[in-house]
Amino acid sequence: MVKKYDYLIVGAGLFGATIAERAHRAGKSVLVIDKRNHIAGNIYTENQHGINVHKYGAHIFHTDYDDVWQYINQFAEFNRFTNSPIAIFDGKVYNMPFNMNTFAKIWDDCITPADAIKHIKKERQEITHPPTNLEEQAISLVGRTIYEILIKGYTEKQWGRPCTKLPAFIIKRLPVRLTYDNNYFNDKYQGIPIGGYTKMVEKMLSGIEVRLNTDFFKDKAKYQSLASHIVYTGPLDEYFDYQLGELEWRSLKFETKVLDEENHQGCAVVNYTGHDVEYTRVIEHKHFEFGTGPKTIITYEYPSAYRKGAEKYYTVNNKQNDQLADAYRKLARKESNVIFGGRLAEYQYYDMDDVIKKALDTDIS
Ligand code: FAD
Ligand code: UDP
């Protein structure tokens, strides 16, 4: 039977939008649906008082992939924003990621890289065996002082369990530098799309039919019958009606305030690394685009356990969840006309550039 569309794309986030754009450009007929009332998935930005508010958390684009950078620059001009967050602990300010500025603040006699190495080496000696959990991994990387000021509280709030019960790999994401360089990322390219991410995704989807407030699972059979190929970017377990069990996620709550103040915290991202406050970060959105207006908008980010109806933000990659995800991936491979792609459908912690890279490398012939 001839189908109405070549591609039905479930989810107007970055993975769905990249596949949709490529398929449309290749002359295929494409329908994109999303259950939310807006496009762009978690990178959605909303303009309020002339400020682009990152509604699902701070998003900084960074990549080392030349092809991804060239691709995305067709749809947006990126500004020169460089992520250099600060961390606040016990009323004091520290630079992130861990670099010479951080070390010089922590140890009074630390000025040169050799001084920092001396301190870290001494503190590292506490761990005499290969690290078995996040606490041991952190101490063996930077020593107990930095662990207690900058890692312990933040990580325990973020993941909702003690660092001694968390896998070591989480902390490997944080770079340690022996230079006075506050750039959070090592990537070749970095920036924020001028005018916001929504405008960028709008451009990607231009000329493509998009239906919002449309949940694939409300009428799965009908949507499946519409197209020869389906690109599914929703949660992996939900596609299979949780038949093997539920995958675990961490969620977040955002509390946003508009302030009659030009500049509230002087930085786009401020991490709160102690247990004295429940939030992990405060975002001041205007600083992503060097905004200067009389008002500002800030968002407190509170990590929370995932409960039905909440948004799924972070995968919880422990042995049990990874095994369950693998079992679902096996089922997914049997769905011959369905591409499972993106953060939710692959159950992977992907940055934006990883998602675009995956979508660019997906065969849509
Ligand atoms: P999503 O953006 O989640 O899109 C999936 C879409 O599918 C959603 O719009 C959803 O509504 C829709 N959908 C789901 N189920 C259905 C259904 N049944 N029917 C119809 N539609 C459905 N990456 C970076 O590179 N830099 C950062 O600074 C950064 N910061 C982040 C901060 C936070 C707090 C989080 C959680 C992530 C961050 N990321 C960052 C990662 C980034 O958000 C993801 O890589 C990217 O948004 C994933 O795109 P996606 O298309 O896979 O998923
Ligand atoms: N982290 C930390 N202190 C900080 C920021 C991050 O200990 O001030 C740790 C924490 O364990 C977190 C991990 O580093 O889960 C990765 O954090 P990042 O902000 O890089 O990633 P994101 O949460 O944005 O995915």
Side-chain angles (χ1 to χ4, degrees):
M1 209 179 81
V2 179
K3 307 266 188 172
K4 188 162 179 214
Y5 299 95
D6 296 315
Y7 278 90
L8 167 74
I9 298 181
V10 181
L14 202 46
F15 188 88
T18 306
I19 297 278
E21 190 282 328
R22 288 185 58 221
H24 177 68
R25 200 190 312 198
K28 316 269 183 203
S29 54
V30 179
L31 170 65
V32 179
I33 61 170
D34 202 297
K35 65 180 178 184
R36 292 180 182 169
N37 64 2
H38 60 75
I39 58 164
N42 282 356
I43 65 173
Y44 175 65
T45 48
E46 192 174 276
N47 196 286
Q48 296 175 14
H49 304 283
I51 299 166
N52 290 310
V53 176
H54 296 210
K55 294 289 277 189
Y56 299 89
H59 279 80
I60 299 112
F61 195 90
H62 59 99
T63 190
D64 242 355
Y65 298 119
D66 291 319
D67 56 346
V68 167
W69 185 242
Q70 273 158 22
Y71 176 79
I72 204 66
N73 271 270
Q74 298 175 87
F75 311 103
E77 186 189 342
F78 282 76
N79 70 14
R80 61 160 187 86
F81 181 83
T82 301
N83 194 25
S84 353
I86 56 168
I88 295 183
F89 180 82
D90 210 10
K92 288 204 181 75
V93 172
Y94 300 90
N95 288 106
M96 294 294 287
F98 317 126
N99 70 76
M100 286 306 300
N101 290 300
T102 327
F103 305 141
K105 178 94 183 217
I106 286 182
W107 296 297
D108 286 342
D109 61 348
C110 179
I111 294 168
T112 65
D115 299 334
I117 290 168
K118 197 180 78 194
H119 278 285
I120 292 171
K121 255 193 176 163
K122 193 169 147 217
E123 293 202 16
R124 273 177 176 167
Q125 284 169 11
E126 187 184 330
I127 306 295
T128 52
H129 53 272
T132 58
N133 58 48
L134 195 146
E135 177 169 297
E136 292 176 357
Q137 173 70 41
I139 295 171
S140 73
L141 203 65
V142 285
R144 180 169 287 277
T145 308
I146 292 176
Y147 166 67
E148 284 183 352
I149 295 177
L150 296 172
I151 299 173
K152 187 175 190 296
Y154 188 100
T155 302
E156 292 182 344
K157 290 191 285 186
Q158 172 77 359
W159 298 102
R161 57 193 86 172
C163 285
T164 48
K165 299 234 154 52
L166 283 165
F169 77 86
I170 294 177
I171 209 67
K172 289 184 187 152
R173 284 216 287 262
L174 273 176
V176 178
R177 273 196 210 115
L178 290 167
T179 50
Y180 283 93
D181 177 5
N182 294 326
N183 184 350
Y184 199 70
F185 302 115
N186 289 320
D187 292 345
K188 195 157 139 192
Y189 309 107
Q190 183 172 178
I192 301 284
I194 296 168
Y197 287 96
T198 306
K199 201 170 120 192
M200 177 181 95
V201 177
E202 244 165 45
K203 211 163 170 196
M204 296 170 83
L205 293 174
S206 108
I208 298 170
E209 186 180 348
V210 179
R211 291 186 207 162
L212 299 176
N213 302 303
T214 303
D215 188 336
F216 178 64
F217 296 112
K218 284 269 152 70
D219 203 342
K220 193 173 169 185
K222 178 183 111 185
Y223 291 117
Q224 276 170 326
S225 73
L226 283 179
S228 334
H229 304 278
I230 291 166
V231 176
Y232 176 76
T233 74
L236 179 59
D237 50 359
E238 194 176 355
Y239 183 90
F240 296 102
D241 205 17
Y242 308 103
Q243 59 182 267
L244 305 175
E246 286 192 34
L247 289 164
E248 201 184 342
W249 304 83
R250 280 294 281 169
S251 193
L252 295 169
K253 284 187 193 123
F254 297 107
E255 188 190 329
T256 296
K257 289 182 184 167
V258 180
L259 305 176
D260 282 316
E261 208 180 328
E262 196 181 324
N263 182 7
H264 182 67
Q265 62 182 19
C267 188
V269 181
V270 178
N271 292 357
Y272 284 81
T273 56
H275 277 294
D276 52 331
V277 291
E278 281 176 39
Y279 44 84
T280 46
R281 309 190 251 217
V282 181
I283 309 306
E284 188 168 5
H285 302 269
K286 73 192 304 180
H287 294 310
F288 287 122
E289 294 184 64
F290 313 105
T292 52
K295 282 185 194 295
T296 196
I297 302 181
I298 59 168
T299 300
Y300 296 84
E301 184 173 320
Y302 296 85
S304 65
Y306 169 76
R307 293 198 211 315
K308 230 181 171 62
E311 290 290 346
K312 294 169 170 168
Y313 286 107
Y314 290 98
T315 55
V316 180
N317 290 97
N318 58 27
K319 208 168 156 192
Q320 192 190 338
N321 291 314
D322 287 343
Q323 276 172 357
L324 185 55
D326 268 344
Y328 276 120
R329 287 181 196 118
K330 243 185 213 156
L331 291 183
R333 281 195 286 276
K334 290 187 191 147
E335 302 278 300
S336 58
N337 68 333
V338 185
I339 295 167
F340 290 79
R343 198 178 49 95
L344 300 165
E346 294 183 63
Y347 197 69
Q348 293 281 352
Y349 186 85
Y350 280 153
D351 275 331
M352 289 181 273
D353 63 327
D354 300 317
V355 166
I356 297 173
K357 180 72 181 155
K358 275 265 171 173
L360 291 180
D361 292 344
T362 298
D363 179 16
I364 51 150
S365 54

